Amino acid sequence: MMGRIAIRAAVVQTAGGPFHFETLSMDPPGPDQICVRLHACGICHTDMVMRDGALPTPFPVILGHEGAGVVDAVGSAIDHVTVGDHVLLSFHSCGACRACHDHQPGYCVEFVPRNFMGVTQAGEGGIWRGDQRIGSNIFGQSAFATHALAHRDNVVRIAPDLPLDILAPLGCGIQTGAGTVLETLNVAPGQSIAILGAGAVGLSAVMAAVIAGAGRIVVIDRHASRLNLARTLGATETGDDLASVEGLFDHIVDTTGVPALLGVAVEKLAQRGTLALVGAYPPGGCAIDPSAIMSMGRRIVGVVEGGIDPQRFIPRLIGYYRDGRLPLEKLIQRYAFDELQAAFAASESGDVVKPVVVMDHP
Ligand SMILES: [Zn+2]
Ligand SMILES: [Zn+2]
């Protein structure tokens, strides 16, 4: 029987606090777990929401949920990956509820406990500071560390020639934007789309809209540098205010999470158009006129993680990456793992779209 191993992890001690690098000990994988030696992890907006205590995340905690690495050990019931496989990590789901059976694990009935709370199941290993159990298993991974314990459902095998540091963000931010366009909205060739917010999710939606053959692709953001990047990726028009854009849209994707923008978004939908809500919305809301939705056959749909199954969708995205249609390197800036705090600051200031920290292994 394998014993615990020493790992290095970035721990947030209390809500809103900084990252402290610590050496901790990690249990061997339980029967359905997979130990992954991490090579990279993207930083996602949800990490900041969890760090700040706005979700029911346990502290002290190890965040990080866009991990990528190499399988180090597998539990006795794992048969879809083996030691040495290169893998990307995604969000966690129960595998047993109706949504999971329908290949819609983003709507798993256990989404909140398994992702934001890091709840573990009987027989699953954890991470320890002496005899104190540290909050981990966030999104079924907690990947701001040298090693993570992940699961059957959220470990996706990829070819060993692919760059782990560039593809790490596929497992959350990129699949959220691309999945919203390609699967939830199923944008058809020639259709029009407006995308609110040009962060990693919004820019992934732009790349996916180009892949889908959309006609008009309008991107709205306050940062001029991000609008430039959006045009490089295929946006046909950009601006800082949807209200001042001419015409109506078949699809609108809101990635901003700002409720005050949604009233205008509904008015900018064409007949039978759909507004996809992808942002991290605060509680409370905005006034939307029901008659404006009813009379034109408009729809509003909430979207978690793009509405995709990572086991099916990540391989599809990798196909686009290999074809040069998903130029993720334009979004990414690499940081050493030790520079995690600076990487967060660059994301929060808007300077970097998608920071990725890279772990050193001797
Ligand atoms: Zn489920
Ligand atoms: Zn995320």
Side-chain angles (χ1 to χ4, degrees), residues 259-263 284-288:
L261 299 178
L262 301 180
C286 57
I288 290 177

Side-chain angles (χ1 to χ4, degrees), residues 93-97 100 108-109:
S93 56
C94 79
C97 71
C100 286
C108 175
V109 293

